[in-house]
Amino acid sequence: MDIDVLGPLAARQGGTSVVPTAAKPRKVLAMLTVHADQVVPMASLFEELWGEDIPRSANTTVQTYILHLRNLIGAALSEVADGPTDAKKVLVTYPGGYLLDTMGGRVDVREFDKLAALGHRARELGDFDAASRHFAAALAIWRGRALVDVQTGPLLEVESHRLEEARLNVLDRRIDADLRLGRHHELLGELAGLVGRYRTHEGLHAHLMLALYRSGRRGEAIDVYRRMRTGLVNELG
């Protein structure tokens, strides 16, 4: 199974989508995909679906959602000539939870992590050109905010935030590598947009200040600092 969570949720078995349209089964699938090849406990599914107000029928309701997902997976499996034929071997029941077995399929988060790790390694070795390329390739995997089309509950919201922080970290490192390669003129437009979006992100503001300074625009660099300082005082005290 191929899985994408860095943007709209996508799960494909043999090229056929198995993503349900209903909100809560979709949320269950999202929980299984962000923890692909790991057992997701029933307690975690309950918390994500209902928070602290867990109904008495929670077990039966989750089993119904799982059955719905298995029906979608089974329909997709029937169109594939080789491979598993039983949806229960893909969406596996374990004591106390469920596991979505990707069977070696593509998972966009894993590709992102792999490319990011290559970038960090190249950066540590001082190869900023390779670092920039690996970081850019990692960022290109993203198709929007993580799980953008899922009504996230408490656990998926934390996971979405974690992934966004990882993306921002890679973005920061890619810009740093580009600055070290003397690409300050090329970065000005991108950085201006980023500081407008992330008004309290000190690293991005610092990158913009440096790019402006190196472009001979020192006054504008100082203005960026003043706006950043004012914003931090007003928003964070």
Side-chain angles (χ1 to χ4, degrees), residues 94-130:
Y94 278 84
Y98 297 96
L99 177 146
L100 189 65
D101 190 342
T102 62
M103 299 185 176
R106 174 186 176 274
V107 180
D108 63 352
V109 173
R110 293 175 186 169
E111 289 192 356
F112 170 77
D113 289 341
K114 180 181 178 180
L115 288 165
L118 290 172
H120 289 305
R121 192 172 302 120
R123 184 175 181 270
E124 290 171 0
L125 295 172
D127 188 348
F128 296 108
D129 184 63

mmCIF file of all heavy atoms in Angstrom, residues 94-130:
data_model
loop_
_atom_site.group_PDB
_atom_site.id
_atom_site.type_symbol
_atom_site.label_atom_id
_atom_site.label_comp_id
_atom_site.label_asym_id
_atom_site.label_seq_id
_atom_site.Cartn_x
_atom_site.Cartn_y
_atom_site.Cartn_z
ATOM 1 N N TYR A 94 -4.812 -6.942 15.943
ATOM 2 C CA TYR A 94 -3.907 -7.389 17.006
ATOM 3 C C TYR A 94 -4.644 -7.262 18.335
ATOM 4 O O TYR A 94 -5.627 -6.526 18.429
ATOM 5 C CB TYR A 94 -2.638 -6.533 17.034
ATOM 6 C CG TYR A 94 -1.598 -6.961 16.023
ATOM 7 C CD1 TYR A 94 -1.659 -6.512 14.714
ATOM 8 C CD2 TYR A 94 -0.560 -7.818 16.381
ATOM 9 C CE1 TYR A 94 -0.707 -6.905 13.775
ATOM 10 C CE2 TYR A 94 0.389 -8.222 15.458
ATOM 11 C CZ TYR A 94 0.315 -7.752 14.158
ATOM 12 O OH TYR A 94 1.246 -8.159 13.235
ATOM 13 N N PRO A 95 -4.182 -7.970 19.369
ATOM 14 C CA PRO A 95 -4.810 -7.795 20.686
ATOM 15 C C PRO A 95 -4.749 -6.328 21.114
ATOM 16 O O PRO A 95 -3.673 -5.757 21.280
ATOM 17 C CB PRO A 95 -3.947 -8.677 21.607
ATOM 18 C CG PRO A 95 -3.373 -9.719 20.706
ATOM 19 C CD PRO A 95 -3.135 -9.014 19.399
ATOM 20 N N GLY A 96 -5.902 -5.718 21.207
ATOM 21 C CA GLY A 96 -5.952 -4.334 21.677
ATOM 22 C C GLY A 96 -5.748 -3.277 20.627
ATOM 23 O O GLY A 96 -5.632 -2.090 20.959
ATOM 24 N N GLY A 97 -5.677 -3.647 19.336
ATOM 25 C CA GLY A 97 -5.476 -2.615 18.333
ATOM 26 C C GLY A 97 -5.431 -3.157 16.914
ATOM 27 O O GLY A 97 -5.735 -4.336 16.667
ATOM 28 N N TYR A 98 -5.026 -2.288 15.992
ATOM 29 C CA TYR A 98 -4.970 -2.644 14.572
ATOM 30 C C TYR A 98 -3.664 -2.122 13.958
ATOM 31 O O TYR A 98 -3.075 -1.140 14.430
ATOM 32 C CB TYR A 98 -6.147 -2.023 13.811
ATOM 33 C CG TYR A 98 -7.489 -2.536 14.268
ATOM 34 C CD1 TYR A 98 -8.230 -1.831 15.210
ATOM 35 C CD2 TYR A 98 -8.019 -3.718 13.760
ATOM 36 C CE1 TYR A 98 -9.460 -2.290 15.646
ATOM 37 C CE2 TYR A 98 -9.251 -4.192 14.188
ATOM 38 C CZ TYR A 98 -9.966 -3.476 15.131
ATOM 39 O OH TYR A 98 -11.184 -3.936 15.558
ATOM 40 N N LEU A 99 -3.241 -2.789 12.888
ATOM 41 C CA LEU A 99 -2.021 -2.410 12.177
ATOM 42 C C LEU A 99 -2.305 -2.385 10.680
ATOM 43 O O LEU A 99 -2.912 -3.312 10.143
ATOM 44 C CB LEU A 99 -0.901 -3.402 12.496
ATOM 45 C CG LEU A 99 0.445 -3.212 11.775
ATOM 46 C CD1 LEU A 99 1.598 -3.629 12.691
ATOM 47 C CD2 LEU A 99 0.511 -4.035 10.473
ATOM 48 N N LEU A 100 -1.852 -1.324 10.028
ATOM 49 C CA LEU A 100 -1.948 -1.224 8.569
ATOM 50 C C LEU A 100 -0.601 -1.641 7.985
ATOM 51 O O LEU A 100 0.405 -0.953 8.174
ATOM 52 C CB LEU A 100 -2.290 0.211 8.155
ATOM 53 C CG LEU A 100 -2.627 0.403 6.670
ATOM 54 C CD1 LEU A 100 -3.900 -0.340 6.304
ATOM 55 C CD2 LEU A 100 -2.779 1.892 6.355
ATOM 56 N N ASP A 101 -0.594 -2.774 7.301
ATOM 57 C CA ASP A 101 0.635 -3.341 6.746
ATOM 58 C C ASP A 101 0.849 -2.787 5.330
ATOM 59 O O ASP A 101 0.084 -3.094 4.412
ATOM 60 C CB ASP A 101 0.525 -4.865 6.708
ATOM 61 C CG ASP A 101 1.847 -5.547 6.381
ATOM 62 O OD1 ASP A 101 2.758 -4.860 5.861
ATOM 63 O OD2 ASP A 101 1.965 -6.755 6.646
ATOM 64 N N THR A 102 1.887 -1.974 5.150
ATOM 65 C CA THR A 102 2.146 -1.382 3.830
ATOM 66 C C THR A 102 2.775 -2.384 2.874
ATOM 67 O O THR A 102 2.815 -2.141 1.666
ATOM 68 C CB THR A 102 3.086 -0.170 3.959
ATOM 69 O OG1 THR A 102 4.350 -0.604 4.492
ATOM 70 C CG2 THR A 102 2.479 0.892 4.856
ATOM 71 N N MET A 103 3.316 -3.491 3.402
ATOM 72 C CA MET A 103 3.941 -4.530 2.568
ATOM 73 C C MET A 103 4.987 -3.936 1.623
ATOM 74 O O MET A 103 5.059 -4.296 0.442
ATOM 75 C CB MET A 103 2.880 -5.303 1.784
ATOM 76 C CG MET A 103 1.895 -6.022 2.669
ATOM 77 S SD MET A 103 0.723 -7.044 1.767
ATOM 78 C CE MET A 103 -0.178 -7.795 3.134
ATOM 79 N N GLY A 104 5.792 -3.032 2.154
ATOM 80 C CA GLY A 104 6.873 -2.446 1.365
ATOM 81 C C GLY A 104 6.451 -1.322 0.445
ATOM 82 O O GLY A 104 7.243 -0.885 -0.391
ATOM 83 N N GLY A 105 5.225 -0.836 0.585
ATOM 84 C CA GLY A 105 4.758 0.249 -0.278
ATOM 85 C C GLY A 105 5.401 1.583 0.071
ATOM 86 O O GLY A 105 6.093 1.725 1.079
ATOM 87 N N ARG A 106 5.142 2.566 -0.774
ATOM 88 C CA ARG A 106 5.708 3.896 -0.582
ATOM 89 C C ARG A 106 4.959 4.643 0.518
ATOM 90 O O ARG A 106 3.731 4.657 0.539
ATOM 91 C CB ARG A 106 5.615 4.699 -1.886
ATOM 92 C CG ARG A 106 6.034 6.157 -1.767
ATOM 93 C CD ARG A 106 5.769 6.916 -3.054
ATOM 94 N NE ARG A 106 6.079 8.328 -2.924
ATOM 95 C CZ ARG A 106 5.234 9.246 -2.457
ATOM 96 N NH1 ARG A 106 4.025 8.874 -2.079
ATOM 97 N NH2 ARG A 106 5.594 10.510 -2.371
ATOM 98 N N VAL A 107 5.724 5.277 1.418
ATOM 99 C CA VAL A 107 5.154 6.126 2.465
ATOM 100 C C VAL A 107 5.868 7.471 2.380
ATOM 101 O O VAL A 107 7.089 7.534 2.571
ATOM 102 C CB VAL A 107 5.329 5.509 3.867
ATOM 103 C CG1 VAL A 107 4.727 6.417 4.933
ATOM 104 C CG2 VAL A 107 4.701 4.117 3.926
ATOM 105 N N ASP A 108 5.121 8.544 2.083
ATOM 106 C CA ASP A 108 5.782 9.823 1.805
ATOM 107 C C ASP A 108 6.566 10.360 2.999
ATOM 108 O O ASP A 108 7.630 10.973 2.821
ATOM 109 C CB ASP A 108 4.783 10.863 1.286
ATOM 110 C CG ASP A 108 3.690 11.222 2.278
ATOM 111 O OD1 ASP A 108 3.587 10.565 3.327
ATOM 112 O OD2 ASP A 108 2.916 12.174 1.977
ATOM 113 N N VAL A 109 6.098 10.099 4.220
ATOM 114 C CA VAL A 109 6.835 10.572 5.397
ATOM 115 C C VAL A 109 8.211 9.911 5.469
ATOM 116 O O VAL A 109 9.213 10.562 5.807
ATOM 117 C CB VAL A 109 6.045 10.295 6.693
ATOM 118 C CG1 VAL A 109 6.893 10.626 7.921
ATOM 119 C CG2 VAL A 109 4.760 11.106 6.709
ATOM 120 N N ARG A 110 8.276 8.645 5.133
ATOM 121 C CA ARG A 110 9.565 7.941 5.175
ATOM 122 C C ARG A 110 10.509 8.484 4.112
ATOM 123 O O ARG A 110 11.717 8.623 4.352
ATOM 124 C CB ARG A 110 9.349 6.443 4.987
ATOM 125 C CG ARG A 110 8.609 5.802 6.150
ATOM 126 C CD ARG A 110 8.311 4.341 5.890
ATOM 127 N NE ARG A 110 7.474 3.786 6.946
ATOM 128 C CZ ARG A 110 6.886 2.604 6.895
ATOM 129 N NH1 ARG A 110 7.061 1.840 5.821
ATOM 130 N NH2 ARG A 110 6.122 2.170 7.884
ATOM 131 N N GLU A 111 9.978 8.800 2.935
ATOM 132 C CA GLU A 111 10.817 9.399 1.891
ATOM 133 C C GLU A 111 11.331 10.763 2.335
ATOM 134 O O GLU A 111 12.498 11.101 2.121
ATOM 135 C CB GLU A 111 10.024 9.523 0.593
ATOM 136 C CG GLU A 111 9.745 8.203 -0.094
ATOM 137 C CD GLU A 111 9.218 8.390 -1.504
ATOM 138 O OE1 GLU A 111 9.000 9.551 -1.923
ATOM 139 O OE2 GLU A 111 9.020 7.375 -2.199
ATOM 140 N N PHE A 112 10.443 11.553 2.950
ATOM 141 C CA PHE A 112 10.843 12.860 3.456
ATOM 142 C C PHE A 112 11.955 12.716 4.491
ATOM 143 O O PHE A 112 12.976 13.415 4.431
ATOM 144 C CB PHE A 112 9.629 13.562 4.070
ATOM 145 C CG PHE A 112 9.964 14.815 4.831
ATOM 146 C CD1 PHE A 112 10.243 16.002 4.163
ATOM 147 C CD2 PHE A 112 10.018 14.806 6.219
ATOM 148 C CE1 PHE A 112 10.562 17.156 4.863
ATOM 149 C CE2 PHE A 112 10.336 15.955 6.927
ATOM 150 C CZ PHE A 112 10.610 17.134 6.246
ATOM 151 N N ASP A 113 11.770 11.814 5.458
ATOM 152 C CA ASP A 113 12.771 11.616 6.510
ATOM 153 C C ASP A 113 14.109 11.156 5.936
ATOM 154 O O ASP A 113 15.179 11.593 6.388
ATOM 155 C CB ASP A 113 12.271 10.594 7.532
ATOM 156 C CG ASP A 113 11.146 11.136 8.400
ATOM 157 O OD1 ASP A 113 10.998 12.373 8.478
ATOM 158 O OD2 ASP A 113 10.411 10.322 8.994
ATOM 159 N N LYS A 114 14.059 10.272 4.938
ATOM 160 C CA LYS A 114 15.296 9.766 4.333
ATOM 161 C C LYS A 114 16.068 10.882 3.634
ATOM 162 O O LYS A 114 17.289 11.029 3.815
ATOM 163 C CB LYS A 114 14.969 8.652 3.345
ATOM 164 C CG LYS A 114 16.177 8.050 2.646
ATOM 165 C CD LYS A 114 15.769 6.959 1.663
ATOM 166 C CE LYS A 114 16.974 6.388 0.926
ATOM 167 N NZ LYS A 114 16.571 5.324 -0.040
ATOM 168 N N LEU A 115 15.366 11.682 2.839
ATOM 169 C CA LEU A 115 16.021 12.784 2.132
ATOM 170 C C LEU A 115 16.520 13.847 3.104
ATOM 171 O O LEU A 115 17.606 14.415 2.921
ATOM 172 C CB LEU A 115 15.054 13.401 1.122
ATOM 173 C CG LEU A 115 14.762 12.543 -0.110
ATOM 174 C CD1 LEU A 115 13.541 13.069 -0.855
ATOM 175 C CD2 LEU A 115 15.976 12.515 -1.043
ATOM 176 N N ALA A 116 15.741 14.117 4.150
ATOM 177 C CA ALA A 116 16.165 15.090 5.157
ATOM 178 C C ALA A 116 17.438 14.617 5.852
ATOM 179 O O ALA A 116 18.363 15.410 6.081
ATOM 180 C CB ALA A 116 15.052 15.318 6.170
ATOM 181 N N ALA A 117 17.504 13.324 6.166
ATOM 182 C CA ALA A 117 18.703 12.776 6.817
ATOM 183 C C ALA A 117 19.922 12.907 5.911
ATOM 184 O O ALA A 117 21.029 13.231 6.377
ATOM 185 C CB ALA A 117 18.466 11.316 7.190
ATOM 186 N N LEU A 118 19.737 12.670 4.610
ATOM 187 C CA LEU A 118 20.847 12.848 3.663
ATOM 188 C C LEU A 118 21.299 14.303 3.638
ATOM 189 O O LEU A 118 22.498 14.594 3.560
ATOM 190 C CB LEU A 118 20.413 12.407 2.261
ATOM 191 C CG LEU A 118 20.202 10.910 2.043
ATOM 192 C CD1 LEU A 118 19.598 10.652 0.669
ATOM 193 C CD2 LEU A 118 21.527 10.157 2.187
ATOM 194 N N GLY A 119 20.339 15.218 3.700
ATOM 195 C CA GLY A 119 20.686 16.630 3.724
ATOM 196 C C GLY A 119 21.459 17.017 4.967
ATOM 197 O O GLY A 119 22.458 17.738 4.896
ATOM 198 N N HIS A 120 21.008 16.530 6.114
ATOM 199 C CA HIS A 120 21.709 16.840 7.369
ATOM 200 C C HIS A 120 23.130 16.277 7.357
ATOM 201 O O HIS A 120 24.072 16.934 7.816
ATOM 202 C CB HIS A 120 20.929 16.262 8.552
ATOM 203 C CG HIS A 120 19.642 16.972 8.837
ATOM 204 N ND1 HIS A 120 19.559 18.325 9.054
ATOM 205 C CD2 HIS A 120 18.363 16.499 8.941
ATOM 206 C CE1 HIS A 120 18.301 18.675 9.283
ATOM 207 N NE2 HIS A 120 17.563 17.585 9.210
ATOM 208 N N ARG A 121 23.276 15.079 6.798
ATOM 209 C CA ARG A 121 24.600 14.460 6.744
ATOM 210 C C ARG A 121 25.528 15.263 5.829
ATOM 211 O O ARG A 121 26.693 15.515 6.174
ATOM 212 C CB ARG A 121 24.477 13.013 6.242
ATOM 213 C CG ARG A 121 25.753 12.185 6.421
ATOM 214 C CD ARG A 121 25.505 10.731 6.087
ATOM 215 N NE ARG A 121 24.446 10.170 6.902
ATOM 216 C CZ ARG A 121 23.321 9.659 6.430
ATOM 217 N NH1 ARG A 121 23.104 9.628 5.122
ATOM 218 N NH2 ARG A 121 22.418 9.158 7.229
ATOM 219 N N ALA A 122 25.015 15.681 4.671
ATOM 220 C CA ALA A 122 25.820 16.472 3.751
ATOM 221 C C ALA A 122 26.190 17.818 4.383
ATOM 222 O O ALA A 122 27.317 18.311 4.220
ATOM 223 C CB ALA A 122 25.056 16.699 2.442
ATOM 224 N N ARG A 123 25.268 18.409 5.105
ATOM 225 C CA ARG A 123 25.538 19.693 5.765
ATOM 226 C C ARG A 123 26.648 19.559 6.806
ATOM 227 O O ARG A 123 27.521 20.414 6.917
ATOM 228 C CB ARG A 123 24.250 20.202 6.424
ATOM 229 C CG ARG A 123 24.356 21.579 7.061
ATOM 230 C CD ARG A 123 22.984 22.023 7.559
ATOM 231 N NE ARG A 123 23.057 23.345 8.162
ATOM 232 C CZ ARG A 123 23.307 23.573 9.440
ATOM 233 N NH1 ARG A 123 23.535 22.545 10.250
ATOM 234 N NH2 ARG A 123 23.354 24.801 9.915
ATOM 235 N N GLU A 124 26.604 18.459 7.577
ATOM 236 C CA GLU A 124 27.637 18.227 8.584
ATOM 237 C C GLU A 124 29.011 18.059 7.947
ATOM 238 O O GLU A 124 30.033 18.423 8.546
ATOM 239 C CB GLU A 124 27.294 16.988 9.406
ATOM 240 C CG GLU A 124 26.092 17.184 10.330
ATOM 241 C CD GLU A 124 25.645 15.883 10.974
ATOM 242 O OE1 GLU A 124 26.284 14.840 10.697
ATOM 243 O OE2 GLU A 124 24.663 15.913 11.741
ATOM 244 N N LEU A 125 29.035 17.527 6.709
ATOM 245 C CA LEU A 125 30.299 17.309 6.001
ATOM 246 C C LEU A 125 30.755 18.563 5.252
ATOM 247 O O LEU A 125 31.814 18.559 4.623
ATOM 248 C CB LEU A 125 30.164 16.146 5.023
ATOM 249 C CG LEU A 125 29.923 14.757 5.654
ATOM 250 C CD1 LEU A 125 29.624 13.733 4.571
ATOM 251 C CD2 LEU A 125 31.136 14.335 6.478
ATOM 252 N N GLY A 126 29.945 19.626 5.299
ATOM 253 C CA GLY A 126 30.303 20.869 4.617
ATOM 254 C C GLY A 126 29.960 20.886 3.140
ATOM 255 O O GLY A 126 30.366 21.801 2.422
ATOM 256 N N ASP A 127 29.201 19.888 2.659
ATOM 257 C CA ASP A 127 28.795 19.839 1.251
ATOM 258 C C ASP A 127 27.422 20.520 1.138
ATOM 259 O O ASP A 127 26.382 19.862 1.102
ATOM 260 C CB ASP A 127 28.727 18.390 0.769
ATOM 261 C CG ASP A 127 28.491 18.276 -0.735
ATOM 262 O OD1 ASP A 127 28.160 19.306 -1.364
ATOM 263 O OD2 ASP A 127 28.608 17.161 -1.274
ATOM 264 N N PHE A 128 27.438 21.845 1.070
ATOM 265 C CA PHE A 128 26.189 22.598 1.123
ATOM 266 C C PHE A 128 25.390 22.484 -0.171
ATOM 267 O O PHE A 128 24.156 22.607 -0.155
ATOM 268 C CB PHE A 128 26.476 24.060 1.460
ATOM 269 C CG PHE A 128 27.085 24.231 2.830
ATOM 270 C CD1 PHE A 128 28.427 24.571 2.979
ATOM 271 C CD2 PHE A 128 26.323 23.993 3.959
ATOM 272 C CE1 PHE A 128 28.991 24.697 4.235
ATOM 273 C CE2 PHE A 128 26.882 24.113 5.225
ATOM 274 C CZ PHE A 128 28.217 24.464 5.378
ATOM 275 N N ASP A 129 26.046 22.224 -1.279
ATOM 276 C CA ASP A 129 25.328 22.037 -2.531
ATOM 277 C C ASP A 129 24.474 20.768 -2.463
ATOM 278 O O ASP A 129 23.287 20.785 -2.803
ATOM 279 C CB ASP A 129 26.305 21.958 -3.705
ATOM 280 C CG ASP A 129 25.583 21.866 -5.038
ATOM 281 O OD1 ASP A 129 24.859 22.817 -5.392
ATOM 282 O OD2 ASP A 129 25.727 20.844 -5.727
ATOM 283 N N ALA A 130 25.077 19.679 -2.004
ATOM 284 C CA ALA A 130 24.318 18.431 -1.855
ATOM 285 C C ALA A 130 23.244 18.575 -0.791
ATOM 286 O O ALA A 130 22.119 18.077 -0.954
ATOM 287 C CB ALA A 130 25.262 17.280 -1.497
#
